[in-house]
Amino acid sequence: MAALKRKEALVAGFQGGNIQKKPKREEKGEKKPIPSNAVPLETETDSEPIMESDTTSQSGDDDGASWPSHTESEEFGGVSIDDGNDDNGLRIAAGASGAPQSASKPTFTDGATTGSSSRESHVKQKVMAQERKAAKPNADSIARSKKLWERLRRKSHVPTKERKELVTELFEIITGRVKDFVFKHDSVRVIQTALKYANLDQKKMIARELKGEYRILAESRYAKFLIGKMLVRGDEETRDMVVPELYGHVRRMIKHAEASWILDDIYRGIATPSQKATLLREWYGAEFAIFKSSEQGPMSADLKQLLAQHPEKKTPIMRSLRDLINLLVQKKTTGFTMLHDAMLQYFLNVQPGSEEATDFIELLKGGEEGDLLKNLAFTDSGARLVCLALAYGNAKDRKQILRTYKDTIHILAYDSHGHRVILAVYDVIDDTVLVSKSVFPELVGKDPSSEEQQQSLLASTTDLSARITLLYPFCGEAKAILPNEDLKLLNEIHRARTTTSKKDPEVRRKELIASLSPPLLQLIASYATELVATSFGCQFISEVLLGAIGDRQPAMDAVVALTKNDEETQALLNTPAAGRMLKTLVLGGKFNPATKQADPVDPPLGFHDRLFAAIEDDIVNWATGCNSFVVVGLLEAPGFSKVEKLKEILGRCRKELVKAAGSSEDVPAKVKTKKFKGGKSDGNTSSPRSGNKGTQLLLKKL
């Protein structure tokens, strides 16, 4: 900018007939000598003439006058001004007199020369870098192994025979020198590729060579992946070499930026239960990291059991556990399974309602982002901890926890652990309006009538975890729907809510059903064919129709209409799952093993009348076909007004029924056979009773 302004000033001077004088250059108080070949520039002022000195370019001073740029040279008083881009400054040449220029004028190089020197410099730098690499230990071996790796890492285009030869050569290079390769970011990949294509003996060789270095490898930014691959592709011997080297270093490694992840991966998926307990016990204090346990039998990390044996150690253990948990939470490294297990052990051993429990729930709620709560919901121990926090917390705590999960409800529903949090929300939050507005729109969609959300809801009905969140309000603690782990946790929650929840559980359940029923009934009415095609879908129809609150007629009509559709659709009703669904709906309730009868729902469903009206003309085929037990259900259904008419129709078709049931008089139901030593029978065997079991039962009832 300064040079540009100086040029503009000089142009103004030319146009106005007045040229500003160039300031004197001084070095160390002395005037610069004036060359004899300089041509003076005459002006109207008394200033000294501006001239080109042989010291201008060498001085490095850019404060001198610069002339304006023009496409053509201009002459003023015999002085030629040429705007050349090579010198980026002022060039004053001799006029018409042809006086020679100073021999000391600097020489300027063009762009090609500069580019050539730059390339030469890069070549020299590259040569020097190669020389430095060659001077390092095992440089030739590492270079050759990297060439082999470049070929081996290609998943295709490498013939099997060639791959075997490359692997053999690679192991010839690395055998005995594995430690020299694993601590470099590039050569450690060579060892990982060797593990990938190695046989079991070669894998054990690599593991033995690295014995004693696994903790250091875990703290390496690149070598930690080698440990993971070694454990995944190795055997029990390799695991038992790696895991014990981590003992005594857990508290340090869990705080390490690199080692923490591989430590948690080993704890979660590789270590045995005893090894996991040993690793987790180190969270309880330095004592457990230094001294080995004297306990007999398998190692246990159950803190309640440990405190029962040593009650005097409760204060230091709880303090050590709380400090390490708080440290990791503050660092926002909250995704570790080991951390979730430790947090659960802490919460299980504090008194509910105490100051420690209250402070810990506040720690769980965390900041506005809620990363800790979101991470906890996707592990077994973490989900249990969140459920217990919901059960023991107050109304404000529950509302804040629910708000944290508002945007992740749909993801939680599909997770094998996360869906338990939703079940806990159903069971402990008294404000069912809040639950209906926060949870149900995420599960069934904000606009349940839209095609996209109907398809999403249909997918949820057949998912092993997501369907539980839809059916739990209807079915309760049904073993056919909920796994044993969920039932155990729900029993624990129900014991806790007796002191923290005010609303009657049955009232809460019915309020939730009233909000959830309309979209589910609409789904059955629209997609009855798709639901009946799967066993989960048939179970979904049974539970919703028996427990829903509202208008159930369109949904029941959609199911009955399947009996009058084409043969392909009717074939869907011949499956065992569809038969159980129809019989349950006909009976109007679930079968009670204690009373040997179905417990009818209130208000009555009335499905039997609709079904009989639809299949009356084809009742004989139903009685002798795959769904014969559905006809048995019609005879047993309480409140069915057409029982006598059904018996009359079946009585007229007794021959068909006997034929379908088989000749029970000729075929014994059960024949005992004598067995000799060696498990061989005497040969007098009879076939078991054949025929349609449902039809046989119908004949007995008739």
Side-chain angles (χ1 to χ4, degrees), residues 13 16 70 116 285 293 448 512 515 584:
H70 295 281
S116 176
S293 174
L512 293 175
S515 299
T584 301

Side-chain angles (χ1 to χ4, degrees), residues 274-323:
S274 178
Q275 291 171 339
K276 291 177 65 175
T278 304
L279 294 172
L280 186 59
R281 283 167 68 100
E282 295 191 24
W283 286 62
Y284 302 157
E287 172 187 350
F288 298 91
I290 298 173
F291 303 104
K292 294 183 178 179
S293 174
S294 58
E295 296 180 8
Q296 300 296 329
M299 185 73 66
S300 174
D302 187 358
L303 185 56
K304 183 173 293 186
Q305 178 183 347
L306 185 63
L307 295 178
Q309 297 174 356
H310 306 283
E312 72 281 359
K313 296 181 180 180
K314 181 174 182 179
T315 301
I317 288 176
M318 298 296 283
R319 184 191 307 116
S320 175
L321 190 56
R322 173 62 186 265
D323 291 345

Side-chain angles (χ1 to χ4, degrees), residues 146 159 228 267 382 448 565-566 576 591 690:
K146 289 167 68 175
Y267 176 84
N565 287 346
D566 54 76
F591 180 75
S690 60

Side-chain angles (χ1 to χ4, degrees), residues 158-381:
V158 180
T160 304
K161 183 178 180 181
E162 180 185 356
R163 189 182 298 279
K164 290 181 178 179
E165 294 174 354
L166 294 174
V167 171
T168 302
E169 182 181 355
L170 180 59
F171 270 93
E172 290 176 356
I173 296 174
I174 67 174
T175 300
R177 292 183 288 183
V178 176
K179 291 183 181 180
D180 298 332
F181 284 75
V182 295
F183 292 104
K184 299 180 178 63
H185 73 92
D186 51 356
S187 58
V188 70
R189 300 181 183 181
V190 175
I191 306 299
Q192 293 184 39
T193 304
L195 273 173
K196 180 178 180 180
Y197 297 107
N199 55 41
L200 184 59
D201 293 335
Q202 291 172 330
K203 294 174 183 177
K204 290 182 178 180
M205 179 273 295
I206 295 176
R208 293 190 191 100
E209 286 198 26
L210 294 176
K211 192 174 182 179
E213 304 289 342
Y214 289 115
R215 183 184 63 83
I216 301 175
L217 290 174
E219 296 177 354
S220 172
R221 183 177 181 182
Y222 302 99
K224 65 178 181 181
F225 300 109
L226 174 63
I227 296 180
K229 185 164 291 188
M230 187 182 301
L231 290 171
V232 170
R233 298 181 179 274
D235 57 355
E236 296 180 359
E237 182 182 349
T238 303
R239 179 197 64 200
D240 294 338
M241 277 192 288
V242 175
V243 177
E245 290 194 17
L246 308 181
Y247 295 163
H249 307 284
V250 173
R251 294 180 66 88
R252 178 176 181 272
M253 293 178 67
I254 198 64
K255 294 182 286 187
H256 193 277
E258 306 295 342
S260 56
W261 295 102
I262 189 63
L263 173 65
D264 191 69
D265 288 342
I266 292 173
Y267 176 84
R268 183 180 64 252
I270 302 297
T272 63
S274 178
Q275 291 171 339
K276 291 177 65 175
T278 304
L279 294 172
L280 186 59
R281 283 167 68 100
E282 295 191 24
W283 286 62
Y284 302 157
E287 172 187 350
F288 298 91
I290 298 173
F291 303 104
K292 294 183 178 179
S293 174
S294 58
E295 296 180 8
Q296 300 296 329
M299 185 73 66
S300 174
D302 187 358
L303 185 56
K304 183 173 293 186
Q305 178 183 347
L306 185 63
L307 295 178
Q309 297 174 356
H310 306 283
E312 72 281 359
K313 296 181 180 180
K314 181 174 182 179
T315 301
I317 288 176
M318 298 296 283
R319 184 191 307 116
S320 175
L321 190 56
R322 173 62 186 265
D323 291 345
L324 187 53
I325 290 172
N326 188 60
L327 176 63
L328 294 179
V329 172
Q330 297 303 322
K331 291 176 65 177
K332 298 187 181 300
T333 53
T334 57
F336 299 136
T337 303
M338 184 180 288
L339 171 64
H340 302 172
D341 289 351
M343 295 179 74
L344 177 62
Q345 290 297 324
Y346 181 89
F347 191 74
L348 291 175
N349 289 276
V350 295
Q351 184 66 29
S354 63
E355 183 179 355
E356 291 82 2
T358 303
D359 292 343
F360 194 74
I361 292 177
E362 290 296 326
L363 178 67
L364 289 178
K365 293 189 294 185
E368 296 180 358
E369 297 178 357
D371 292 338
L372 175 58
L373 281 172
K374 292 177 181 178
N375 287 326
L376 284 170
F378 295 97
T379 62
D380 187 11
S381 298

